[in-house]
Structures are given as C-alpha cells and as structure tokens.
C-alpha cells in the first residue's frame, strides 16, 4: 500500500560537475525502480541536479529550508526559493542540524509547515542519540520529536510528509540498527502517530530507516513490515551503490 522511497542525502559533498556526472551514471541504473528515487543535494547543486535528472525518474530535494518567507536570515533559503527551483523534497531536522545548528522540535515544526505551504514534500528526521538509547529513553525521545515536531498537521498532510527514523549513533558510523530493532522502533512510531494524531496516519505514513544503510544490509532492512525506504548518506555518493539500494527488490 505504501510506496517505498529511497532518498540520498549528499550532505556537503559534490561540486556541480560531480553532480552531473553522478546523476548521468545513476539515471540508467534506476530507471525501472519501483520506489520513489530522490537525491537531496547541496543548495548550490540543485540547478545542475535538476538539469541532469530531467526526463528521468530521479526527484531532487534540498537539505534544509527556512520558515520565513523572506528577510534578515543570513545564509538561509526560503521555501519559495526552493519552489522556484522546482525542488520536490526537503530534509528537515536531520540530526546533524539538530546537533551542530541548534535545530529543535519547534523549528522542525515551522520548517515543515513552510515546506508544505510551498508544496514541497518534507522528509522529517527523528532519532535518539547513543546516550539516550543507553538510558532507555528511545521511545520517550521519539514520541517528543514526533508530537512536537509534527504538532498541528492533519491527516492529509501525511500524504506528503515522509518520516525518517535515524538513530543518531548509526549515522555515518558504520553501525546499523538490526533490521528487527529498526522495524520495532518504526512500529512504535506508527503507534505514536495513531494515538496522538489519527489511527489512519499510523498506517499510511511513509517511514524510512536511515543510519549506515548500504548494499549489504538494504535488502534485509527493506524486507521489514514497517520500513518504507531509506535515507542514505555515505552510500548515496556512489551511483553503483545507490542504484543497488534503489533496486533492492530486483
Ligand atoms: C544520513 O545522512 O541521513 C545518513 C543516514 O548517513 P549514513 O547513511 O552515512 O549513515
């Protein structure tokens, strides 16, 4: 029922020339994908990425968006600016933004609203840190991030909102949650959505797993009942590896 979505997060990697090269190599490898294929690229690569992806099934996303329409916010980018570039998705509340740039559940909420207003699909990231996990706080943290970060959104908004469950200790570390653990935790997120929002949302929300997902573990992760895709950092930088993950069911 839920269509899988495999999204790459290039973070602060790739020049425009590298963007063109990677997307040209990737496009023929993913053309028969059954899932949505997305690349979230640096702001400076968006135009090159859109051009390289023209006529393919690859959608382009950004990695952040500000909530204000315009104004004195040096270094920020508005949803209308992204809309003008015809961006389809935007990552919001990635753990690196929460950790290094003061992102909070409140700012996640505002950015998500701004993206939806501009008809850009938000990929909202949630996840516990290693110490929160060790202290047995995983469920509490996730519930807070979901309830506060997505406060006020209605059932129809969840046709557009994608949630990425990314345990912070698994991002860029080579450590992956076991497929069973990831599935169980995402199942818990579905319960929170059903209880705090509406029961249909628990079933219909698309929820990705992210955290060192790669060619070796993607099939097992993607076979889990509650996992609808992946948000992929390191392994999205190489066309071959990313294509393998996108074609997880072939
Ligand atoms: C990410 O950046 O969202 C991510 C999951 O990174 P990696 O796949 O490298 O762990």
């Amino acid at each position: 029922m839920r269509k899988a979505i495999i999204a790459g997060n290039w973070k602060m990697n790739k020049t425009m020339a590298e963007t063109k090269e990677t997307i040209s190599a990737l496009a023929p490898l993913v053309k028969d994908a059954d899932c949505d294929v997305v690349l979230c690229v640096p702001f400076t690569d968006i135009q090159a990425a859109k051009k390289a992806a023209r006529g393919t099934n690859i959608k382009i996303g950004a990695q952040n968006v500000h909530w204000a329409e315009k104004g004195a916010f040096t270094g920020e980018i508005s949803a209308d600016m992204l809309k003008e570039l015809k961006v389809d998705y935007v990552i919001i509340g990635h753990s690196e933004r929460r950790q290094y740039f003061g992102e909070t559940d409140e700012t996640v909420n505002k950015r998500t609203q701004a993206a939806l207003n501009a008809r850009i699909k938000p990929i909202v990231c949630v996840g516990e840190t290693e110490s929160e996990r060790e202290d047995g706080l995983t469920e509490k943290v996730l519930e807070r991030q979901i309830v506060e970060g997505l406060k006020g959104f209605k059932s129809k908004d969840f046709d557009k909102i994608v949630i990425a469950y990314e345990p912070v200790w698994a991002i860029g570390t080579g450590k992956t949650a076991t497929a069973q653990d990831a599935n169980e935790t995402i199942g818990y997120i579905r319960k929170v959505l059903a209880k705090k929002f509406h029961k249909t949302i628990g079933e219909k929300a698309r929820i990705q797993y992210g955290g060192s997902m790669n060619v070796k573990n993607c099939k097992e992760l993607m076979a889990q009942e509650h996992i609808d895709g992946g948000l992929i950092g390191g392994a999205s930088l190489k066309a071959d590896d990313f294509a393998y993950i996108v074609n997880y069911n072939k």
Side-chain angles (χ1 to χ4, degrees):
M1 252 177 63
R2 299 182 300 259
K3 189 173 185 194
I5 168 169
I6 304 282
N9 173 15
W10 280 3
K11 311 193 187 194
M12 197 173 70
N13 290 294
K14 293 196 189 285
T15 61
M16 284 197 284
E18 289 164 346
T19 297
K20 187 173 165 218
E21 200 182 311
T22 308
I23 295 179
S24 304
L26 181 67
L29 305 177
V30 299
K31 67 177 178 16
D32 298 321
D34 298 320
C35 60
D36 288 334
V37 185
V38 183
L39 286 175
C40 297
V41 305
F43 290 132
T44 49
D45 290 335
I46 290 173
Q47 276 185 299
K50 285 294 297 184
K51 195 168 166 203
R54 198 176 292 153
T56 76
N57 55 338
I58 301 170
K59 303 284 185 212
I60 301 303
Q63 298 171 16
N64 194 17
V65 61
H66 198 266
W67 54 86
E69 269 174 45
K70 57 173 141 181
F73 300 102
T74 303
E76 292 289 329
I77 303 282
S78 76
D80 280 349
M81 291 169 181
L82 293 180
K83 191 175 166 186
E84 196 175 22
L85 296 176
K86 300 196 167 40
V87 158
D88 294 292
Y89 289 86
V90 61
I91 297 174
I92 293 174
H94 190 277
S95 65
E96 286 149 18
R97 302 244 22 120
R98 291 182 192 255
Q99 197 178 342
Y100 307 130
F101 302 99
E103 194 79 63
T104 62
D105 297 329
E106 191 190 346
T107 57
V108 165
N109 189 279
K110 293 203 272 188
R111 292 183 204 277
T112 304
Q113 187 64 66
L116 287 176
N117 291 347
R119 296 177 197 279
I120 298 169
K121 297 185 187 78
I123 299 178
V124 178
C125 302
V126 295
E128 80 286 1
T129 62
E130 189 150 37
S131 65
E132 287 165 342
R133 187 176 186 87
E134 279 163 6
D135 292 345
L137 296 173
T138 301
E139 293 194 347
K140 200 168 168 215
V141 168
L142 290 174
E143 177 168 341
R144 193 208 68 224
Q145 290 177 338
I146 293 284
V147 170
E148 297 300 319
L150 298 177
K151 188 159 55 187
F153 294 110
K154 302 274 175 294
S155 182
K156 69 169 179 17
D157 297 325
F158 286 86
D159 296 339
K160 305 228 167 54
I161 296 171
V162 176
I163 295 170
Y165 166 58
E166 301 206 300
V168 180
W169 49 270
I171 298 177
T173 58
K175 294 185 202 167
T176 326
T178 65
Q180 292 70 28
D181 275 354
N183 188 50
E184 214 173 281
T185 308
I186 292 178
Y188 172 74
I189 293 173
R190 294 198 185 285
K191 274 195 207 140
V192 172
L193 289 168
K195 193 166 134 210
K196 303 280 179 176
F197 293 83
H198 190 276
K199 69 175 186 314
T200 55
I201 298 172
E203 288 151 28
K204 82 170 172 181
R206 292 201 291 175
I207 310 183
Q208 303 171 303
Y209 168 78
S212 299
M213 192 160 168
N214 57 38
V215 296
K216 292 205 184 100
N217 57 29
C218 64
K219 284 183 196 280
E220 198 190 354
L221 284 160
M222 289 301 295
Q224 305 300 316
E225 175 193 355
H226 294 302
I227 301 181
D228 302 325
L231 182 57
I232 293 137
S236 71
L237 295 171
K238 285 195 197 144
D240 285 353
D241 284 4
F242 191 60
Y244 185 91
I245 299 171
V246 165
N247 294 315
Y248 67 91
N249 60 347
K250 308 266 181 227

